[in-house]
Each structure stands twice: as C-alpha cells, then as structure tokens.
Amino acid sequence: MSIISKDIQKAVALLTNEQLVAIPTETVYGLAGNIFSEKAIKSIFSTKKRPFFNPLIVHVPSVDSLEGIVTHIPEKAKLLATAFWPGAMTLVLKKSKKIPDIITAGKDTVAVRVPNHPVTLELLRQLPFPLAAPSANPFGSISPTKPAHVERYFKDDIQMVLDGGACRNGIESTIIGFENEEPIIYRLGALALEEIEAVVGKINIKNKEEISPNAPGMLARHYAPKTRTFLVDDVASEVKKHLGKKIGILVFKQSLENTSLTEVVLSKNGSIQEAASRLYDAMHTLDSKNLDIIIAEKFPESGLGNSINDRLQRATFK
Ligand code: AMP
Ligand code: MG
C-alpha cells in the first residue's frame, strides 16, 4: 500500500505520537518530526543516515511563533522575514535554551523558516510544536520534489508522505546567518541573491571552505545522482569525448536534437524558475535510466542560475 496521503489529520496524529511524516514545502519535501521529541529527532538522523554534526531547520507557521525559539532577531532579519516569509528563505538566529542541542548540532544558533505551502502551513497551525524537517532524502542523495521520490527512498522507514503535489520552487531554501547584526549568505537557494539585496543591500556569501563546518548543506559533494555527472558550458563538445557511452543530457532550454542521447530540457521557454523547479526531478529521472554518464549544462550566472549551478556543481564527481 502506498504511504502517500492527503490526510492532514493523520499527519497530526503521527507527529503528535513522535513519528516522522514527510511534508511538502515549496522548496523540497522535508522529513519532519516534533522538535521537542528526542525520539523523533533521533529517528530523522537515523532514517536519513545524516551525521549529527549537520543541524536541522526548524519550521514554524508564522514569524510570531519564533517567540521562545530564538532570543534575538536583528533588524535586518525582521526586514527579511517581513519581505519573504512565508517563503524559501531560512534565517539562522541565536537560539533559546528550549531548543534541544541535537537540533542545532550543539551550536548556539538555530535555523528557522516559515515554509510557503498551504498544506504544511495548515499542518503547522494545528500542531502545538514546531517541526524539524531536513530534506526527505538519504544524506548526500538527490533531494525529493515529488511524493513519489520520497516513497522510493523511505517506504520501509516511515508511515506517511503528506501529499502536497510537486514542489513549486524545487531547490532548497536560501540560508542567511548574521554576524554583528549583518546578514551573510550561508547557502544559495530558491530565493535569489538579487531579491535579498533589494531588501537589505549588498550581502556577502560565506565561502565554501569556511562555511562547511557551519552549513553542511555546503558539503562539496551533496545533492548527487549515483550516475557520474559532468557540468560543462558546451554540452555538444563534451558528448564527443564520450562516444560509445550511454549518455544522459541535462540542458537549460535548447535541445541537442540527437536521438542517441537521453535528454531532459529543463525549460523550453528559457524560464530559470521553471528550470529550478524541474531540476531534481530531471536528476531523479536520468539517474534511474542506467546511463554511463550524465552531462549537465552550466546555467547563466545570475539570479537563480547561480543557485542551480551550485547544486549541479555538487552533483559532479571531483
Ligand atoms: P537541509 O534541511 O537538509 O536542506 O539542510 C539544513 C542545512 O541548514 C544544514 O545543512 C546547514 O547547512 C544549515 N543550518 C542549519 N542550522 C544551522 C545553524 N545553526 N548554523 C548554520 N547553518 C545551519
Ligand atoms: Mg538536504
């Protein structure tokens, strides 16, 4: 029997009973548990095989629910929350004592977000506790953007995927931390840098080496298919280097029109938004076709193109 269901009351019951439920968000599906249940939180880590040094994002129904969870909200965090919540932005703020150390990997900060998905907002409103919800995939593999992706990963491990359809944004949230009250990007994501800068001015991106202990979402190889993947500017020339292999192609808008290749065009209209929302589903599809290699095309380096390139880069073998 399928574990996919639209029954919010069933999700409420399971979560209240310290069980895990996969939940829809606008970014990717999350593997959710009660932040105050040690049993649920431990089972998030064991189900995902996620290392304990990798902290979890806490999901709340509104900015008001942060009371008691964080001890301080910098002015620019308030501006960002007003501008983008509910939405694909995670803020890392000073944590209150109530937040268990296992959620934050022992840090004195906690990552929080108000997700923009009607089903999960309704669920969060009905629950008397926030939900910790990392992406609902085994550690290091491709994030799920459809209920079926989660079911394939975890049908033997969890009782329910709350069905909210395909994720609209399709890549993880943009994570923003604060140093001396000033925002700094910890992870590029579904909310473009340019949109954030329009609200708080120029903002720095913490470099990958520096950040890795802080934001393991930044680990070099992450979000990865099992099939060996290359990221290049010129897909056609790369194809010529691999003649005789079974090749999968992931391109932005322009088909190579080569019938010997298994190809996914992410957005025929050239919409970056559409490409982002379809990216992981395309990676899941290509990864299931027993190909020798996948060749992905680099995106234009602006807006969401940067976030997509970041994920594609992490999907490649170094
Ligand atoms: P996921 O929910 O799997 O997309 O990943 C959650 C990510 O949030 C982690 O991998 C970290 O990169 C980031 N994160 C969570 N909590 C913190 C924190 N306290 N400080 C910095 N980054 C955090
Ligand atoms: Mg993840």
Side-chain angles (χ1 to χ4, degrees), residues 5 17 311:
S5 157
N17 205 14
R311 300 304 189 273

Side-chain angles (χ1 to χ4, degrees), residues 277-291:
S277 74
R278 296 189 56 217
L279 177 70
Y280 288 144
D281 187 48
M283 281 162 62
H284 279 279
T285 303
L286 289 172
D287 205 25
S288 68
K289 298 214 175 222
N290 280 315
L291 300 162

